[in-house]
Amino acid sequence: MKKLTAFILSAALCAGLVLPAAAAEPVFSDVPAGHWAQGAIEDMAARGIVQGVGGGMFEPDSPVTPAEFCLMLARLFYPDELAAQQAAASAPWWQPGAETARQAGLLDGTSVLADYQNGVWGSAALLAPMSRYDMAQAMAGTLTAQGVALPSDAELEAAQASIADFDEVPAPYARAVTAMYALGCLQGVDEAGSFEGGQSMDRAAACTVLTRLLNVLSGGSAQPDPDPDPQEALDALRQEMLDRVNEERAKVGAPALVLDETLCEAAQKRAQETAENYSHTRPDGSSCFTVLDEFGIQHSGAAENIYASPETVDAAMDGWMDSPGHRSNILNSSLRAIGIGYYYTDEGWNHYWVQLFIG
């Protein structure tokens, strides 16, 4: 954690500021919060199925080769078989994954098998960008190998109507593509629902379809739950932080704080302001506590904690509790209410947290 500083303002209780701390791993600088595939990418990275490319980067838009996708599938669904292939003999990095996938039947019907002749692998097709057609075929092969029944003819016919360019899908791939649409494992690349199977698969899509395959295998829906309402998500963060604050206060016998709605609005404004000017001084040059007057909040004393970069409530609270000044604010028995603000932006330190206290 970087240097912590705190100071006292003459008309208020102790106010603190925390400088950025390291974010939780894995985090890729080119996959910010809000990226369409962020959850899937970080899930697969945490499982050890995919890795970054170095320098904290993931390159989500870079093409995936069949060799890479085979290795991902093998790591996720056939780790023991993959380990056996890797231990069997010295071979190019891509061969154990490709052989594991071939023996499991995951590559049946793909053009990738053109590289496998007379029991020997080549590398031309394996190391070229993987088409979305072959991606769909490998996905269907994975579900079949895992014992999942593919959709019925009636379900396939219904799904076919949602594929805008179905007439362009080559016959050998038609069933796999339609089955993946029917199961929710694949979607169109545009509003019309076009599959565009000739396009190459990228790293973000690879992580996403792996997550969807796992969901189908677990008996759930391939599609994740819809994103929560932003206000509901913010309210949940505030409640989580309030609970944590009051847990810490209970340990020292301090009375529980009340979460004040208007104070939260003020804290939210301060969170946005700290993204612009990371200080207890507002962008207009006034004290942070002028925001209380702005919202008509009466108080006998006030304190502010701010923190930039932690992604979670626990990370922010841990940093504050490790700093004497901020800890003092959190545990001060003279305080009666708290407002909590959180703001995300793609710029700067990304995550900005504010606690406003009043007595």
Side-chain angles (χ1 to χ4, degrees):
M1 181 178 299
K2 295 185 179 179
K3 180 183 177 184
L4 306 182
T5 63
F7 61 88
I8 299 175
L9 298 183
S10 58
L13 299 174
C14 178
L17 174 151
V18 180
L19 295 178
E25 295 293 344
V27 172
F28 302 106
S29 60
D30 53 351
V31 187
H35 186 282
W36 70 272
Q38 180 202 8
I41 291 170
E42 294 192 355
D43 180 30
M44 290 299 115
R47 294 171 184 268
I49 308 304
V50 298
Q51 298 173 328
V53 297
M57 305 282 283
F58 185 75
E59 295 186 358
D61 299 326
S62 293
V64 166
T65 66
E68 292 168 328
F69 195 52
C70 285
L71 186 57
M72 293 176 196
L73 290 170
R75 285 172 174 166
L76 189 57
F77 298 109
Y78 299 94
D80 293 340
E81 292 84 347
L82 176 63
Q85 288 289 337
Q86 291 171 328
S90 176
W93 70 266
W94 47 263
Q95 186 166 316
E99 185 60 19
T100 299
R102 185 194 69 80
Q103 291 186 12
L106 313 187
L107 300 179
D108 292 354
T110 68
S111 65
V112 180
L113 284 179
D115 263 357
Y116 187 77
Q117 299 290 334
N118 301 318
V120 178
W121 279 103
S123 62
L126 277 169
L127 299 180
M130 189 174 197
S131 74
R132 285 170 54 82
Y133 286 135
D134 277 342
M135 171 187 69
Q137 197 76 278
M139 292 169 67
T142 299
L143 292 179
T144 299
Q146 293 288 314
V148 175
L150 296 184
S152 66
D153 289 342
E155 291 170 323
L156 292 177
E157 184 176 353
Q160 179 179 323
S162 64
I163 306 174
D165 56 350
F166 180 78
D167 290 342
E168 300 174 19
V169 178
Y173 294 101
R175 188 173 184 84
V177 171
T178 311
M180 293 305 98
Y181 266 71
L183 289 172
C185 290
L186 288 178
Q187 296 174 312
V189 298
D190 54 29
E191 293 183 0
S194 302
F195 180 60
E196 296 291 350
Q199 292 186 7
S200 60
M201 177 187 189
D202 61 38
R203 286 167 58 81
C207 293
T208 301
V209 299
L210 291 175
T211 300
R212 291 173 180 170
L213 289 175
L214 280 179
N215 289 341
V216 170
L217 286 169
S218 66
S221 169
Q223 297 298 329
D225 293 334
D227 290 336
D229 177 83
Q231 186 59 50
E232 291 181 1
L234 180 57
D235 289 344
L237 280 179
R238 285 170 171 164
Q239 185 61 50
E240 183 182 353
M241 181 168 282
L242 175 68
D243 291 343
R244 177 72 190 276
V245 166
N246 283 333
E247 286 174 8
E248 298 294 347
R249 289 173 68 85
K251 294 176 184 178
V252 298
L257 294 179
V258 174
L259 188 67
D260 184 275
E261 182 176 349
T262 305
L263 198 54
C264 281
E265 292 177 9
Q268 189 63 26
K269 183 161 189 176
R270 285 291 298 132
Q272 291 178 247
E273 290 179 349
T274 57
E276 179 181 348
N277 179 40
Y278 190 61
S279 169
H280 292 291
T281 299
R282 302 180 72 184
D284 65 3
S286 65
S287 161
C288 59
F289 299 112
T290 61
V291 75
L292 301 176
D293 298 330
E294 185 177 326
F295 282 83
I297 297 170
Q298 301 296 315
H299 61 90
S300 59
E304 178 181 78
N305 286 345
I306 68 177
Y307 205 167
S309 85
E311 293 190 23
T312 66
V313 167
D314 281 342
M317 282 296 298
D318 288 346
W320 278 324
M321 291 301 292
D322 285 340
S323 168
H326 307 90
R327 178 186 176 89
S328 176
N329 286 342
I330 291 169
L331 301 182
N332 194 315
S333 60
S334 299
L335 299 171
R336 59 179 174 81
I338 186 174
I340 297 167
Y342 168 76
Y343 181 68
Y344 174 81
T345 174
D346 289 335
E347 300 178 351
W349 292 312
N350 302 134
H351 306 272
Y352 294 84
W353 301 84
V354 169
Q355 292 176 331
L356 271 178
F357 307 88
I358 59 171

